[in-house]
Amino acid sequence: MCLLCCVSIAVTAKAQQLKKNESYHLKIKRASSPVKVDGVIDEQAWQDADVATNFHMVLPMDTSAARLRTDVRMTYDQQHIYLLVESYTPDAGPYMVESLRRDFAFLKNDNFLLFMDPFDDQTNGFSFGANAAGAQWDGLMYDGGKVDLSWDNKWTSIVKNYKDRWVFEAAIPFKTIRYKKGITHWGINFSRNDLKTTEKSAWAPVPRQFATASLAYTGSLDWDTVPPAAGPNISLIPYLLGGVVKDYNKGTPGKFRRDVGLDAKVAVTSSLNLDLTVNPDFSQVDVDKQVTNLDRFELFFPEKRQFFLENGDQFSNFGYSTIRPFFSRRIGLGGVPIHFGARLSGKLNKDWRLGIMNMQTGKQEETGLPAQNFTVAALQRRVFSRSNLGFIFINKESLNYDPAKEVDKPVYSRYNRNMGLEYNLASSNNFWTGKAMLLKSYSPGKSGHDFAHAANLQYTSKVWNISWQHEYVGRNYNAEVGYVPRQGYIKLMPQVTRLFFPQSGPVLSHGPQVTGTWFLNEDFHRTDNETMLNYGIVFRKRNTLNIWSSNTFIQLLNPFDPTNTGKDSLHTGTRHSWNTVGADYVSKPQSLFTYAFSARYGGYYEGGTRLMTNAELGYRFQPYVSIALSANYNDIRLPQPWGKNSFWLVGPRVDVTMTNTLFFTGFMQYNEQQKNMNVNTRFQWRYRPASDLFIVYTDNYLPEPFYVKNRALVLKLVYWFNI
């Protein structure tokens, strides 16, 4: 780890230069007239504003000017930043969009996005945008170019279509964003995606191997004076909820729900925010997407509750995908009530970033789970131009809990604590990235081998992507508020990708990728390994094809049922190896009918075989209706007692977007392995910016014989107002 840190720091120090697009400037001046957000360019303020134009092509190639003209203007008054975008097109509509739903998929829509870095630190910021039908996009930016679309705040916009262009106009309140008082140069870039020409472009040029959201390649937004102070900024967001829940399995009468709760947002400074919640409710959040589980370890399901997601990257992104010291889904799920919580997060200055969260849950009588308090604190310090050092502390404490009083119930630990340090490398041109991390846990009765560390280094150029990653997790490392599905191992994972770019023809790029993954126990004896060879093809119409093969070896560390149905288990220490071939294809996004197919066939545990096929079909009546069907089939053949096993997983979904403020979603999930059928419908009316009415109906059935297991109907009203 020390060697890799030294290499990373040396690479960073060498690569720290002036910002790549330092010469790109857009001046923003105070509006010379009032601005009405209507998509009509008739105000004097827009005539006087400077214009950002002459965009650069990013895809399919990044070596020329954009073919399509895009003009961007910005101005401001005491309360708002205004944005006006003219996206010209050589052909009259219709434009290509998925729907009117917020936070659309960037590559599946004609759209325009703004990426804004108010600290000009090339690491954190905000994104706003719209597709050609008027659906809004907003998110928090972190890690130098990722966008958290769970962030939802107050701003207004409109899209108006003309014969030769579509116009996007927006007003973003200063109170909506966070920025340091007195800074007059903000990082900024603009990105446009056009599906008919398959062109993605940006104002300040971005190499094609990176997302246009990459803050390493922003230009500069130059203010004519210090931006206005946002002033007092306190928001109260109460909710009222009514509903009924009935459990048919237990045969109990329906339970009526009558809940009230409150969220509050307080701007401590222009760049530091305090979030408070009392009796939060997340009934409107989408249920988890079901999967066929054939894994030996716990599966990961992403967090969807907005309080934990918003501005939570300092907590949730600490570590690696399978070494997460903090995982917010450990708090308040499974019927455990959350009483209250608070989070202080944001920038202290250009170099320091802070995050502190405290959550209090109530006890659960049926399981004996005591009331618990969760505290997480994270501090981040920028080093060089884009890299940073981070620290995290996590504490879970059981309150008024005496294990001696528990009889025939799970025994919960009195406390669990984790501390960690990490160094995140990001060179000024983004070609070198990496992370080095060290974690230690503290738990009653566990000591020694109670730490984890990991490091990776990645080089990304137009034709090469080369990476190395290693991990160590001690057998006593314990992250009860994290996601660490496996302990007591050493992991090594190198990967190499080479791309080729034909000068013409239907193929944009193609090339091989080789990945090796080895797992060793703490005595350096091999327990698992997989070697994979993949050949990927990206077509100019943005459809993709991947063909791959792999070799797998596994020595079981614990008894394991290869079907996860409870029939029987393979013994600890048994060895299994097999070969697999597979292919994946995704159709071009321009079509109204889209599809994706994947398949794999090969060996399996105990000399068996496994066939897996997956299909996703979609059709849109743009921009109002989107229909999708996903189907997954597994055929597993093993010796007795398992024999032949087949599992279907089917999930049709319908999205109806009457307007960009009125949505309906309905979907069904049938999981043959879990013997469950789930039906979920949700109606959402955004009657004011960031204020919603939700009506949610959920059913769970036992498919054979068809029988209702439980059912719920919830109505929730949320209102956002500023003090």
Side-chain angles (χ1 to χ4, degrees):
M1 178 179 176
C2 294
L3 176 62
L4 188 57
C5 285
C6 292
V7 172
S8 300
I9 292 173
V11 167
T12 305
K14 183 178 180 180
Q16 303 310 315
Q17 306 165 356
L18 290 175
K19 197 164 73 169
K20 285 298 173 182
N21 289 323
E22 188 70 32
S23 61
Y24 286 81
H25 293 265
L26 174 63
K27 294 181 180 179
I28 180 171
K29 299 177 288 189
R30 182 178 287 271
S32 56
S33 69
V35 176
K36 181 181 180 182
V37 179
D38 56 6
V40 179
I41 312 173
D42 56 358
E43 295 95 341
Q44 185 62 40
W46 292 130
Q47 308 305 318
D48 296 337
D50 285 12
V51 182
T53 188
N54 298 325
F55 276 43
H56 296 78
M57 188 185 298
V58 178
L59 290 175
M61 297 301 292
D62 58 1
T63 55
S64 68
R67 295 191 298 266
L68 299 181
R69 176 184 165 190
T70 309
D71 293 345
V72 183
R73 295 173 172 87
M74 296 185 72
T75 187
Y76 71 97
D77 60 21
Q78 193 64 30
Q79 288 80 35
H80 298 87
I81 300 173
Y82 296 98
L83 173 71
L84 179 76
V85 184
E86 296 177 273
S87 297
Y88 289 85
T89 177
D91 303 314
Y95 298 104
M96 296 182 182
V97 296
E98 286 181 296
S99 69
L100 294 168
R101 179 169 294 280
R102 297 177 65 87
D103 300 331
F104 45 83
F106 173 79
L107 290 176
K108 295 182 179 180
N109 291 261
D110 291 341
N111 65 77
F112 173 91
L113 299 181
L114 155 72
F115 303 113
M116 184 164 53
D117 176 8
F119 283 83
D120 202 21
D121 63 2
Q122 305 173 64
T123 305
N124 301 284
F126 301 86
S127 181
F128 298 91
N131 68 14
Q136 290 185 331
W137 158 298
D138 55 1
L140 287 174
M141 301 191 67
Y142 64 97
D143 277 3
K146 298 176 183 177
V147 182
D148 176 9
L149 294 174
S150 66
W151 183 73
D152 199 4
N153 220 304
K154 298 183 75 170
W155 61 290
T156 58
S157 69
I158 193 168
V159 166
K160 192 173 181 64
N161 290 288
Y162 296 88
K163 184 177 180 180
D164 62 339
R165 69 196 189 283
W166 57 277
V167 174
F168 166 48
E169 191 171 12
I172 304 166
F174 282 103
K175 291 186 177 184
T176 291
I177 60 176
R178 303 286 174 259
Y179 55 96
K180 185 65 177 177
K181 185 178 179 181
I183 294 180
T184 57
H185 299 280
W186 295 6
I188 202 160
N189 208 353
F190 312 111
S191 175
R192 180 183 174 187
N193 189 52
D194 185 84
L195 288 176
K196 290 188 292 297
T197 61
T198 68
E199 179 178 271
K200 181 171 76 166
S201 59
W203 169 60
V206 180
R208 69 179 310 278
Q209 69 266 32
F210 301 125
T212 49
S214 176
L215 295 179
Y217 290 90
T218 54
S220 181
L221 182 68
D222 300 331
W223 294 79
D224 60 348
T225 186
V226 173
N233 189 357
I234 301 175
S235 300
L236 298 180
I237 314 167
Y239 78 84
L240 295 172
L241 182 145
V244 59
V245 179
K246 184 171 176 60
D247 191 328
Y248 290 85
N249 280 336
K250 295 181 179 179
T252 55
K255 295 182 179 179
F256 290 92
R257 295 185 59 189
R258 303 176 185 86
D259 287 334
V260 61
L262 175 69
D263 288 343
K265 296 178 178 293
V266 181
V268 179
T269 69
S270 62
S271 57
L272 192 64
N273 198 66
L274 175 64
D275 290 275
L276 305 169
T277 186
V278 178
N279 192 32
D281 172 84
F282 307 102
S283 58
Q284 81 278 9
V285 174
D286 277 344
V287 299
D288 288 322
K289 185 177 181 180
Q290 297 188 31
V291 297
T292 299
N293 182 10
L294 298 172
D295 201 274
R296 292 179 294 152
F297 303 101
E298 178 190 12
L299 297 179
F300 178 82
F301 291 94
E303 176 64 90
K304 297 183 179 182
R305 297 170 294 176
Q306 188 175 4
F307 182 85
F308 294 102
L309 288 169
E310 183 178 323
N311 214 22
D313 63 279
Q314 265 192 285
F315 309 134
S316 60
N317 291 330
F318 201 102
Y320 287 78
S321 61
T322 55
I323 311 177
R324 300 173 186 261
F326 176 73
F327 181 38
S328 57
R329 283 181 67 106
R330 304 297 187 203
I331 304 174
L333 285 180
V336 178
I338 297 177
H339 291 329
F340 55 84
R343 182 181 63 238
L344 180 67
S345 59
K347 302 277 287 188
L348 300 176
N349 55 39
K350 189 173 182 177
D351 294 326
W352 288 95
R353 190 169 177 231
L354 174 71
I356 302 174
M357 182 168 67
N358 184 270
M359 305 294 295
Q360 178 66 51
T361 63
K363 63 181 180 180
Q364 196 177 40
E365 296 290 350
E366 55 268 31
T367 62
L369 179 69
Q372 294 181 319
N373 183 267
F374 300 82
T375 300
V376 191
L379 188 64
Q380 196 176 84
R381 173 66 161 87
R382 189 174 73 134
V383 294
F384 306 111
S385 67
R386 300 186 61 239
S387 303
N388 62 70
L389 289 166
F391 166 80
I392 196 168
F393 172 75
I394 304 151
N395 182 58
K396 185 191 81 169
E397 198 86 23
S398 296
L399 307 179
N400 302 318
Y401 175 58
D402 183 3
K405 295 181 180 179
E406 300 295 335
V407 179
D408 296 329
K409 290 183 179 180
V411 175
Y412 300 94
S413 63
R414 186 167 59 85
Y415 68 86
N416 175 249
R417 300 182 182 109
N418 265 256
M419 295 179 66
L421 290 169
E422 72 174 17
Y423 168 65
N424 290 285
L425 163 72
S427 65
S428 62
N429 60 8
N430 215 41
F431 276 51
W432 290 95
T433 56
K435 175 183 288 193
M437 173 195 69
L438 178 65
L439 297 165
K440 189 179 189 314
S441 65
Y442 303 86
S443 302
K446 288 189 176 184
S447 62
H449 299 273
D450 55 358
F451 71 95
H453 100 79
N456 81 291
L457 184 63
Q458 179 170 292
Y459 172 76
T460 305
S461 71
K462 290 183 181 180
V463 298
W464 287 103
N465 188 308
I466 304 171
S467 67
W468 165 272
Q469 180 171 320
H470 69 260
E471 303 173 3
Y472 166 72
V473 178
R475 59 180 177 269
N476 287 327
Y477 176 71
N478 184 25
E480 294 182 14
V481 197
Y483 176 75
V484 187
R486 185 169 180 168
Q487 288 84 29
Y489 74 88
I490 299 165
K491 177 182 177 182
L492 309 174
M493 192 175 80
Q495 184 179 88
V496 178
T497 305
R498 175 65 161 92
L499 293 178
F500 301 92
F501 295 89
Q503 293 297 316
S504 60
V507 174
L508 176 62
S509 66
H510 63 92
Q513 180 184 80
V514 180
T515 305
T517 306
W518 287 272
F519 284 91
L520 313 172
N521 63 21
E522 290 181 285
D523 295 322
F524 291 93
H525 294 147
R526 181 185 66 153
T527 61
D528 305 59
N529 73 263
E530 181 177 71
T531 304
M532 177 177 286
L533 173 63
N534 177 81
Y535 203 93
I537 303 172
V538 178
F539 297 91
R540 292 187 187 274
K541 292 292 186 180
R542 297 190 185 171
N543 44 326
T544 61
L545 172 65
N546 287 280
I547 302 171
W548 57 271
S549 65
S550 68
N551 172 263
T552 303
F553 166 80
I554 291 176
Q555 179 178 349
L556 290 178
L557 305 177
N558 295 290
F560 174 62
D561 175 4
T563 64
N564 273 337
T565 57
K567 287 184 177 180
D568 199 356
S569 293
L570 297 168
H571 297 302
T572 299
T574 56
R575 298 187 172 196
H576 310 268
S577 62
W578 61 82
N579 298 314
T580 308
V581 294
D584 308 282
Y585 179 78
V586 179
S587 69
K588 60 183 182 181
Q590 297 91 332
S591 302
L592 295 178
F593 174 67
T594 58
Y595 53 92
F597 293 104
S598 62
R600 58 173 289 172
Y601 178 77
Y604 199 54
Y605 292 93
E606 201 69 0
T609 62
R610 178 188 175 192
L611 168 68
M612 186 279 290
T613 60
N614 188 78
E616 295 183 9
L617 310 177
Y619 192 85
R620 62 182 188 268
F621 301 89
Q622 61 179 30
Y624 303 110
V625 180
S626 176
I627 302 171
L629 172 66
S630 63
N632 177 276
Y633 175 72
N634 275 273
D635 182 273
I636 298 173
R637 305 198 177 194
L638 294 163
Q640 294 300 327
W642 300 280
K644 183 180 183 297
N645 299 266
S646 61
F647 303 120
W648 277 101
L649 181 63
V650 181
R653 179 185 179 106
V654 176
D655 283 286
V656 181
T657 55
M658 285 73 82
T659 70
N660 63 356
T661 60
L662 202 61
F663 315 113
F664 173 81
T665 300
F667 64 91
M668 183 270 285
Q669 298 182 97
Y670 167 61
N671 190 326
E672 187 175 11
Q673 185 188 40
Q674 295 184 1
K675 300 191 184 313
N676 185 70
M677 181 183 294
N678 170 257
V679 177
N680 185 274
T681 63
R682 183 179 65 177
F683 172 83
Q684 178 184 358
W685 174 32
R686 174 145 289 190
Y687 58 92
R688 287 175 53 108
S691 300
D692 298 281
L693 170 68
F694 296 97
I695 302 175
V696 182
Y697 177 76
T698 303
D699 251 338
N700 282 289
Y701 300 92
L702 184 69
E704 298 176 9
F706 193 75
Y707 174 78
V708 180
K709 295 197 290 187
N710 51 68
R711 177 174 290 166
L713 175 66
V714 172
L715 186 148
K716 182 177 180 181
L717 182 68
V718 181
Y719 185 80
W720 181 314
F721 62 91
N722 295 325
I723 298 178

